[in-house]
Amino acid sequence: MDKLQLDNQLCFKLYALSRKVIAVYRPILEALDITYPQYLVLLVLWEVKSITVKDLGARLYLDSGTLTPLLKRLEQKGILDRQRDMEDERSVVITLKPAGKDLLQNAKKIPETLGSCISLGQKEYQQLKGQLDSLLAQLTIDQS
Amino acid sequence: MDKLQLDNQLCFKLYALSRKVIAVYRPILEALDITYPQYLVLLVLWEVKSITVKDLGARLYLDSGTLTPLLKRLEQKGILDRQRDMEDERSVVITLKPAGKDLLQNAKKIPETLGSCISLGQKEYQQLKGQLDSLLAQLTIDQS
DNA sequence: ATTATTTTAATTTTGCACAATTAAATTGTG
DNA sequence: CACAATTTAATTGTGCAAAATTAAAATAAT
């Protein structure tokens, strides 16, 4: 097997599939007027309400160079607030605003909608998730 | 199970892992002075030597808005040529130059280097590849 | 306490991604 | 042939990603 052949490259498939799945999300998220990375930020904020940029980045594996402009766009839309932590002025704390909380209702049906676009048996789903988790964990040891 | 929880999102794991693996490639490709998407273009060109932008995009699932500037950068480095097809002036044909061909020697050891960074059994590897292939095929039916 | 180190987010720069539009050339139709 | 429809790559504009630098503030060391 020629490992330099495109078809044999696991990473290429991962990269291509990741973009394809995000493309499936795109028209669905367009109804909420948000992008996929913005949706990920909201998934976290719907769970915790308030979080620093640093902690948000740790959960999404994204750095401030990516998050800061993204969060500013969400701030301009009135979805969240950005403010310095009083106790540690180096940190910026993100807080969900009512408009952002309201989006949760419209998002509730997204997982189901997506499931109907991508047919994947329960067993295969769990298996794939497990393998992705395992690889992700393997590549995440070095940065605390 | 709350399907709106970040940890339960298959797509997020796919997206995060894809970026993580590309991050593993980054220092390795830096030695060749190319990026990961540029490496993918070269993988195709090492196979076929010459190809139109359209066909290249079909193989990589990328459009001309992404490829045109990327190919211009590789052209400036002397790695490839871009020229209109004589027989159909709408098409642009990409041709590998000697400098690009030479890079193949330095790239030969990349799959092995990567394999040492990511430990994945032969069985799990084949299984994962199969699942990614299957999902990719499922999401690629609609565009010829 | 003073100074050095570390932590943190912003800023800057480069390079993808992709939607939408434009422009040019080919193909299809009458 | 003429002319509309289609195909194609380039262009334009917006939004990520991530490395490198900067600046500010907290923490640690002496």
Side-chain angles (χ1 to χ4, degrees):
Chain A
M1 178 177 92
D2 179 4
K3 286 195 190 296
L4 276 180
Q5 202 135 6
L6 191 60
D7 287 343
N8 296 330
Q9 298 266 335
L10 191 65
C11 178
F12 167 63
K13 291 176 197 302
L14 211 49
Y15 163 74
L17 182 59
S18 167
R19 285 185 295 114
K20 283 277 183 199
V21 176
I22 289 173
V24 174
Y25 269 99
R26 199 165 292 121
I28 300 170
L29 294 177
E30 212 163 281
L32 309 194
D33 192 31
I34 56 173
T35 65
Y36 184 70
Q38 290 170 5
Y39 174 62
L40 292 181
V41 166
L42 286 175
L43 284 179
V44 174
L45 289 176
W46 287 327
E47 280 184 42
V48 303
K49 266 79 178 176
S50 196
I51 191 173
T52 63
V53 174
K54 178 189 164 73
D55 290 345
L56 186 57
R59 290 199 63 171
L60 301 179
Y61 309 102
L62 292 170
D63 73 2
S64 75
T66 301
L67 286 176
T68 296
L70 185 159
L71 292 169
K72 281 181 177 172
R73 282 186 283 271
L74 290 178
E75 184 184 33
Q76 283 199 331
K77 286 182 184 176
I79 288 175
L80 51 80
D81 267 333
R82 295 165 59 249
Q83 57 185 6
R84 292 270 164 196
D85 184 343
M86 294 303 195
E87 318 211 321
D88 182 346
E89 300 244 352
R90 290 168 302 183
S91 298
V92 167
V93 178
I94 304 303
T95 310
L96 201 58
K97 289 178 74 172
K101 235 168 275 185
D102 293 347
L103 280 177
L104 176 56
Q105 294 312 313
N106 307 54
K108 283 252 170 71
K109 63 182 184 310
I110 291 179
E112 196 188 355
T113 307
L114 210 85
S116 73
C117 295
I118 302 174
S119 78
L120 190 64
Q122 189 58 222
K123 210 181 87 185
E124 287 84 4
Y125 179 91
Q126 289 302 333
Q127 195 178 61
L128 181 53
K129 205 177 87 169
Q131 280 188 315
L132 297 181
D133 271 334
S134 151
L135 283 171
L136 205 48
Q138 191 183 134
L139 298 179
T140 312
I141 342 167
D142 26 32
Q143 74 248 15
S144 85
Chain B
M1 180 176 91
D2 179 4
K3 285 193 190 302
L4 276 180
Q5 203 134 7
L6 191 60
D7 287 342
N8 296 330
Q9 300 265 336
L10 190 65
C11 178
F12 167 63
K13 291 177 198 301
L14 211 48
Y15 163 74
L17 183 59
S18 167
R19 285 184 295 113
K20 282 276 180 198
V21 176
I22 290 173
V24 174
Y25 269 98
R26 199 165 293 122
I28 299 170
L29 294 176
E30 213 163 282
L32 309 193
D33 193 30
I34 55 174
T35 65
Y36 184 72
Q38 291 171 5
Y39 174 62
L40 292 180
V41 166
L42 287 175
L43 284 180
V44 173
L45 289 175
W46 287 327
E47 281 184 42
V48 303
K49 266 81 179 170
S50 196
I51 191 172
T52 63
V53 173
K54 178 190 163 72
D55 290 344
L56 187 57
R59 291 198 63 174
L60 301 179
Y61 309 102
L62 292 169
D63 73 3
S64 75
T66 301
L67 287 175
T68 296
L70 185 157
L71 292 168
K72 282 182 176 171
R73 281 187 282 271
L74 290 178
E75 184 184 34
Q76 284 199 332
K77 286 184 187 177
I79 288 175
L80 50 80
D81 267 335
R82 296 165 58 248
Q83 58 184 5
R84 292 268 163 197
D85 184 343
M86 293 302 195
E87 318 211 320
D88 183 346
E89 300 244 353
R90 289 169 302 184
S91 297
V92 168
V93 179
I94 303 303
T95 310
L96 201 59
K97 290 178 75 172
K101 234 167 278 186
D102 292 346
L103 281 177
L104 176 55
Q105 295 313 313
N106 307 54
K108 283 252 170 70
K109 64 182 183 310
I110 291 179
E112 197 189 354
T113 307
L114 211 83
S116 74
C117 295
I118 302 175
S119 77
L120 189 64
Q122 189 59 222
K123 210 181 86 184
E124 286 85 5
Y125 179 91
Q126 290 302 332
Q127 196 179 59
L128 182 53
K129 205 176 90 169
Q131 282 188 314
L132 296 181
D133 272 336
S134 153
L135 283 172
L136 205 49
Q138 191 184 133
L139 298 180
T140 312
I141 342 167
D142 27 33
Q143 73 246 12
S144 83

